[in-house]
Amino acid sequence: MKKILFFVLPLLFVLPAQAQFAQEEEPVKLGAVVVTATRDPREDRTTPANVTVVTAEEIRHSGATTVVEVLEKLESIQFRSYSGNASQAMIDMRGFGGDNPFGKTLVTLDGSRLNRPDMSSINWLSIPVNTIERIEILRGPGSVLYGDAAVGGVINIVTKKGKGKPAFNASLLAGSYGLHNERAGVIGAEGKWTYALTGENHYNSGYRDRSRYSSQGGGFEVGWAAHDLLNLSLGVSFNRTDYQMPGALTKEQMQENRRQYQPAMPLYWMNANDDNDGRDKYTNVNLGVKSFWGAFGRMEVNLTYGRKDLESNMPSWASSWLPYSYVYSDTNSETLGITPRYTLERDVWKFRNQVIIGMDYYSEPYQKKYFNDRERSVALSTASLRRQSTGYFIRDELSLLAGLVLSFGYRFEQTSISGSNKDFVAPANNFDNEKTYRARAYEAGLTWLWGKKSKAYARYATVYRIPFLDEVASFNGYSTPTPFLTSLEEEKGVSMETGMEYYPMENLKLGLALFRIDMEDEIEYVIYNPVLSLGENRNTGKTRHDGVELSVTYWWQKFLKAYGNLTYHKATYEAGPHRHKEMPMVPNRVINAGLEIYLPFQVTFKPEIRHVGEAYLSGDSDNNAEKLNAYTLLNASLLYKPTFGRMNLTVFAGVENLTDTRYCSYGLDYAQFGMDNFYYPMPGRILKGGLSFEF
């Protein structure tokens, strides 16, 4: 780390002085940009991928209170939850939901990774929506530029940066089930300085008993244009989320009362979920340095720090036959990173060319402790691990013709997982070991641009995923013959994709993407002793993910906007006893459609519909159990947006799940164990209303 800083940081200050003697070139300001695809501001249509950018204005007018509500309306994205709580929602992108959806979609905040090194979802409530300038969604592999976890796609969330005179904003929103959301912020610029300050409070008592959650967070961003060749920025955000977990219900229990928490079921050795809860605290710091060198290109370095302090209390998991149950835990995880990258735009034989060379270094210390009770009186075990990775990448875009762009890239990454576990109750679970992974990724794409905004593209890429800490090491209280698996390797895959964005008219956009992703060496839990129920994680899985993404948007100026998308996924096993069977929890069809009807007196009416097809229950790899039912949700909202001088006012009123549809986003196949299947019911009809203003 010291060697990297010693080499990179002097370049940021020495070379700009030399670059003054070269012909100066100002950074190009583009209309639509996306950094997830190239890690450098580029027109989104030059990227050989299906890309979507959601702006702050679109988020504000949607009435969304969480990032989940914003993303779930887009093609190829689906969420599932245990309670309707967005903080623990699990994302499925391009059919990578399955029984283990974690680590298949990379999520970044201003370029900083939010994914955890263990097998858990990120906390979506740690990103207040009023801090967001835009969300950039890249569907498909991103391993060359981002490395681990960028299999199904990359979601980069960009926070607001100050500009112009001070602009103040605030909003209040309330709704069903005790929902209330308050936001406030100010952004602006003064001389060479820019600033943005935002804060949010979010509370919901929950649709079900014991599904309450609350979230408080905020952040600030300060920028300084030292001179024309050097910009500095510092961003800090924080969040605290408290939540309850109501547990699953059988069909019979849902018919009795779908809003109850899971009761005790002695027949199945299950305790009541009457005291399960957790608390998450997140802190993110991002220091950015940008240096513009004129004809010599530009250099950018991000120094990032993230901290996660997690408290989990799950007494319903307690086992009566163990002297102690590992159900009370504290987790402390940190991420320290430095990500320098150099960009050079220079013609090659009169062909426009851009090359990006970069490195990503991350060090992630991780500690997890289990205790005997909620008060943390006695420690049962302590695991101390570290994940450390260094990746090098290069990517080039060459304009062969005025409208034909060839892109290709390569990445090499080395990751080590090391650590120890001290189990004071079961010493057989102790370990002290290390495993090193060496992964490579390639990609090549061709993009044809025609007209003012249309494009067609094709791309071939390889992907990989490094195992989670708790896939390599067993430190969660469960006995295993091999507590640290040095034999476990990374997952690998190949992606092929083609698509287009076509504007037959200036106000009509049609989108199409077809893809296939073949994965191998996927990690599965294999039982090798059925009598003792002993097993371990092994690289035995092989799956295929085929899909089609369709979208259409039509603007009729001053009258309406119509939009819709359809996603078809088919995810299948391609080896083993379940060959050609469909993967659980991946619906074949997801459809979204809506209208924005512009009425007189600055009123907008927005009806929307969402349909999610049926899917096999989690654990039903042989496809012989009942399916999770399909469901259709209707939403509608009204917006009134008058202007009073400098103040812009928005009054919002809406209803979600208008027909009060009873549905579940997640279910478990327990019939294979001689038990009832279990489900997690989602909220019924939700009313929302509020107002926001800017001046």
Side-chain angles (χ1 to χ4, degrees), residues 261-272:
Y261 61 78
Q262 179 179 297
M265 289 178 275
L267 181 64
Y268 298 151
W269 305 282
M270 292 183 178
N271 300 320

Side-chain angles (χ1 to χ4, degrees), residues 251-505:
K251 279 189 173 182
E252 183 179 353
Q253 290 166 347
M254 286 194 295
Q255 290 174 355
E256 293 173 354
N257 179 9
R258 63 186 290 107
R259 299 181 63 176
Q260 65 178 311
Y261 61 78
Q262 179 179 297
M265 289 178 275
L267 181 64
Y268 298 151
W269 305 282
M270 292 183 178
N271 300 320
N273 280 55
D274 57 354
D275 200 21
N276 290 354
D277 56 44
R279 172 179 296 169
D280 298 349
K281 295 180 181 179
Y282 289 76
T283 303
N284 292 289
V285 181
N286 190 335
L287 174 63
V289 184
K290 296 181 180 179
S291 184
F292 306 100
W293 303 346
F296 290 97
R298 56 185 176 270
M299 188 77 178
E300 182 174 350
V301 178
N302 283 334
L303 301 172
T304 64
Y305 172 77
R307 180 179 176 89
K308 309 172 185 68
D309 296 293
L310 317 173
E311 177 184 314
S312 177
N313 305 296
M314 305 294 290
S316 70
W317 291 2
S319 301
S320 59
W321 59 86
L322 293 176
Y324 291 104
S325 295
Y326 297 74
V327 297
Y328 301 100
S329 67
D330 290 345
T331 303
N332 306 103
S333 177
E334 295 178 284
T335 299
L336 301 94
I338 176 170
T339 58
R341 61 184 180 272
Y342 169 72
T343 304
L344 177 64
E345 295 186 27
R346 181 169 295 179
D347 291 350
V348 176
W349 300 307
K350 297 184 179 180
F351 298 110
R352 184 175 177 273
N353 188 72
Q354 183 198 63
V355 62
I356 301 176
I357 303 172
M359 185 195 73
D360 297 323
Y361 170 82
Y362 290 100
S363 178
E364 299 176 277
Y366 177 96
Q367 187 176 76
K368 189 164 190 174
K369 295 182 178 180
Y370 281 97
F371 300 89
N372 68 319
D373 56 23
R374 182 180 286 270
E375 289 70 31
R376 275 62 175 163
S377 303
V378 177
L380 303 181
S381 68
T382 299
S384 298
L385 300 102
R386 181 182 296 270
R387 187 182 189 274
Q388 188 167 296
S389 64
T390 305
Y392 306 90
F393 65 88
I394 180 171
R395 187 179 188 275
D396 191 88
E397 279 191 6
L398 178 64
S399 297
L400 301 175
L401 299 171
L404 190 62
V405 181
L406 173 66
S407 60
F408 48 90
Y410 169 77
R411 182 186 187 94
F412 171 78
E413 183 168 343
Q414 179 169 299
T415 303
S416 65
I417 295 177
S418 61
S420 61
N421 184 46
K422 295 182 179 179
D423 193 319
F424 307 113
V425 178
N429 294 336
N430 294 349
F431 62 80
D432 188 349
N433 216 327
E434 181 177 1
K435 168 69 176 179
T436 299
Y437 299 89
R438 294 176 178 86
R440 293 172 175 82
Y442 312 83
E443 71 171 35
L446 193 64
T447 307
W448 175 39
L449 311 178
W450 82 91
K452 294 182 179 180
K453 296 182 287 186
S454 299
K455 78 171 184 179
Y457 66 89
R459 182 165 66 141
Y460 173 90
T462 62
V463 297
Y464 62 86
R465 183 183 76 83
I466 305 299
F468 296 110
L469 296 180
D470 43 357
E471 287 179 317
V472 176
S474 177
F475 52 86
N476 292 323
Y478 302 104
S479 298
T480 175
T482 312
F484 194 99
L485 297 171
T486 56
S487 60
L488 198 65
E489 301 297 334
E490 71 274 11
E491 298 180 346
K492 310 175 188 68
V494 173
S495 171
M496 294 174 287
E497 178 179 352
T498 184
M500 62 179 290
E501 289 182 2
Y502 176 46
Y503 287 80
M505 298 185 295

